[in-house]
């Protein structure tokens, strides 16, 4: 009965959302979320090389169709080694999920008698999804991509969206029910929010700063429902400030396939 009741609430929220002009996509990080998600590309890595305090953006390839929440996270000095090693992990994943590029403008291989007006640019179109969690979050016992946010509705209202969507990453009924069920016992991502005034329908772009040490998970696939179900042959890399560990999925479990100590 409890499961049925929660499903009815979820469906009712979806129906109310459909009756408004609010698009059915999540906003950015809200206080109480268990993680901060971003997309890693080579362009991001170049910025991180230049500035270890680069603020990662919750971008998700433009899926945020309305502005709510906190858009950026800078890792701070306590996570300096974590920031440095994300680059290594990115290229490890690229061995099993090759880089895909889209040509912007005219291809350099095009047959054209006239000189090109614009420089050919290449855009990475399969950036890797990265989740930042508190260092002690045990994702193998819980799950990846569940927000576990008890107060998401109240937080969303602060940004002027009384009928906004929950914004689940893993959006199966089982995943959403689990997120609600454990929302009072899973600690949220511990961050210092910027001291700014929240404006209606505007995301906060000033970066948040972690209050402690974090860990990062880089996924080889962006279908978060697969990771919730722990389907076969998935890969991810767990990164801490000291080491990285490669995992693959099999028989409904995650298996450790290698550890690499970071060079200070």
């Amino acid at each position: 009965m409890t499961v049925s009741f929660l499903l009815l609430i979820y469906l009712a929220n979806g129906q109310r959302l459909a009756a408004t002009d609010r698009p059915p996509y999540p906003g950015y990080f809200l206080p109480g979320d268990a993680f901060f998600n971003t997309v890693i590309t080579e362009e991001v890595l170049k910025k991180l090389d230049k500035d270890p305090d680069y603020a990662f953006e919750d971008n998700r390839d433009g899926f945020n169709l309305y502005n709510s929440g906190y858009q950026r996270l800078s890792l701070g000095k306590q996570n300096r080694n974590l920031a440095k090693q994300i680059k290594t992990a990115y290229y490890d994943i690229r061995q099993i999920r090759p880089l895909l590029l889209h040509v912007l403008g005219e291809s350099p291989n095009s047959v054209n008698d006239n000189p090109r007006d614009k420089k050919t640019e290449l855009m990475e179109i399969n950036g890797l999804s990265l989740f930042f969690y508190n260092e002690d979050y045990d994702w193998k016992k819980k799950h990846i991509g569940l927000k576990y946010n008890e107060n998401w509705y109240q937080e969303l209202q602060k940004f002027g969206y009384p009928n906004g969507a929950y914004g689940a990453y893993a959006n199966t009924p089982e995943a959403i029910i689990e997120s609600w069920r454990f929302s009072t016992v899973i600690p949220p991502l511990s961050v210092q929010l910027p001291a700014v005034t929240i404006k209606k329908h505007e995301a906060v772009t000033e970066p948040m700063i972690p209050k402690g040490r974090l860990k990062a998970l880089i996924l080889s696939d962006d279908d978060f429902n697969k990771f919730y179900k722990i389907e076969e042959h998935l890969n991810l890399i767990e990164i801490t400030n000291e080491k990285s560990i490669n995992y693959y999925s099999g028989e409904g479990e995650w298996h450790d396939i290698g550890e690499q100590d970071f060079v200070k």
Side-chain angles (χ1 to χ4, degrees):
M1 290 181 65
T2 301
V3 171
S4 298
F5 177 70
L6 290 172
L7 282 173
L8 287 173
I9 294 176
Y10 170 66
L11 292 173
N13 282 340
Q15 290 172 352
R16 183 173 69 249
L17 177 63
T20 71
D21 59 354
R22 308 294 188 236
Y25 295 101
Y28 301 108
F29 175 89
L30 291 175
D33 289 353
F35 61 81
F36 180 89
N37 176 256
T38 188
V39 175
I40 300 299
T41 64
E42 285 194 328
E43 181 180 358
V44 168
L45 295 177
K46 289 179 181 179
K47 295 177 181 178
L48 191 59
D49 279 341
K50 294 180 180 178
D51 180 11
D53 292 320
Y54 164 77
F56 293 89
E57 294 186 7
D58 184 348
N59 43 32
R60 280 178 289 154
D61 297 329
F63 279 110
N64 299 299
L65 298 186
Y66 62 86
N67 288 324
S68 62
Y70 296 81
Q71 189 178 0
R72 305 173 72 212
L73 175 70
S74 180
L75 298 184
K77 293 182 179 179
Q78 69 270 40
N79 293 290
R80 191 58 55 82
N81 288 333
L82 182 67
K84 286 170 27 179
Q85 300 304 324
I86 286 174
K87 180 177 181 178
T88 300
Y90 170 89
Y91 286 109
D92 284 346
I93 288 287
R94 280 292 178 230
Q95 296 181 30
I96 58 176
R97 190 183 181 193
L99 179 71
L100 295 178
L101 298 174
H102 173 71
V103 176
L104 297 176
E106 185 178 324
S107 168
N109 297 320
S110 297
V111 178
N112 194 332
D113 294 333
N114 299 317
R116 295 191 296 271
D117 295 330
K118 297 181 180 180
K119 180 181 177 181
T120 300
E121 296 183 26
L122 300 176
M123 180 179 68
E124 185 173 339
I125 59 174
N126 67 333
L128 301 181
S129 189
L130 184 149
F131 289 83
F132 287 112
Y133 284 97
N134 293 332
E135 187 178 50
D136 60 356
Y137 180 75
D138 190 346
W139 56 272
K140 295 184 291 297
K141 290 184 178 179
K142 295 303 178 183
H143 283 97
I144 301 168
L146 300 188
K147 293 185 175 183
Y148 298 111
N149 191 340
E150 182 182 18
N151 298 313
W152 68 271
Y153 191 73
Q154 292 86 343
E155 293 294 337
L156 196 59
Q157 287 180 328
K158 295 178 182 178
F159 289 88
Y161 292 102
N163 296 312
Y166 176 60
Y169 282 60
N171 58 10
T172 66
E174 295 83 3
I176 293 174
I177 289 172
E178 180 180 338
S179 182
W180 286 346
R181 180 183 178 188
F182 292 100
S183 62
T184 59
V185 297
I186 301 298
L189 186 68
S190 181
V191 291
Q192 180 65 49
L193 299 177
V196 297
T197 301
I198 295 177
K199 299 180 181 179
K200 185 176 180 180
H201 298 174
E202 290 187 19
V204 176
T205 57
E206 288 78 2
M208 303 179 292
I209 304 294
K211 294 181 179 179
R213 286 153 56 99
L214 303 180
K215 70 172 54 171
L217 302 176
I218 297 184
L219 279 52
S220 62
D221 194 299
D222 55 7
D223 187 338
F224 306 123
N225 287 333
K226 290 182 180 179
F227 284 85
Y228 175 79
K229 298 174 183 177
I230 316 181
E231 294 185 2
E232 299 290 302
H233 311 305
L234 298 173
N235 297 86
L236 64 82
I237 299 178
E238 178 187 46
I239 312 168
T240 68
N241 280 277
E242 286 76 33
K243 61 187 177 182
S244 66
I245 303 177
N246 294 270
Y247 289 87
Y248 79 95
S249 60
E251 299 181 351
E253 296 181 351
W254 290 102
H255 302 275
D256 179 345
I257 57 174
E259 179 176 316
Q260 175 182 342
D261 291 329
F262 292 158
V263 178
K264 303 295 184 180

